[in-house]
Amino acid sequence: MFFLSILAVVIVAVLVLWIINTYLPFDGVLKKIFNTAVAIAIIIWFLQTIEVL
């Protein structure tokens, strides 16, 4: 069950990121910064969830 909840959160985060990237007009540099920030936030959240950090 733990794995499924982590997978669900990651899928929702990727889906929201895809929707934002598709429907909101961002500059290319700003889009890269935003995507990188979201990816880092997901990685940090994942590491805290499995109690590495």
Side-chain angles (χ1 to χ4, degrees), residues 12-47:
V12 168
V14 169
L15 182 64
V16 168
L17 188 61
W18 175 77
I19 289 171
I20 290 172
N21 283 331
T22 302
Y23 296 111
L24 292 180
F26 282 135
D27 184 41
V29 175
L30 186 60
K31 191 178 284 191
K32 285 182 183 179
I33 293 170
F34 180 70
N35 290 341
T36 303
V38 170
I40 290 171
I42 290 173
I43 290 169
I44 290 173
W45 170 81
F46 176 72
L47 291 175

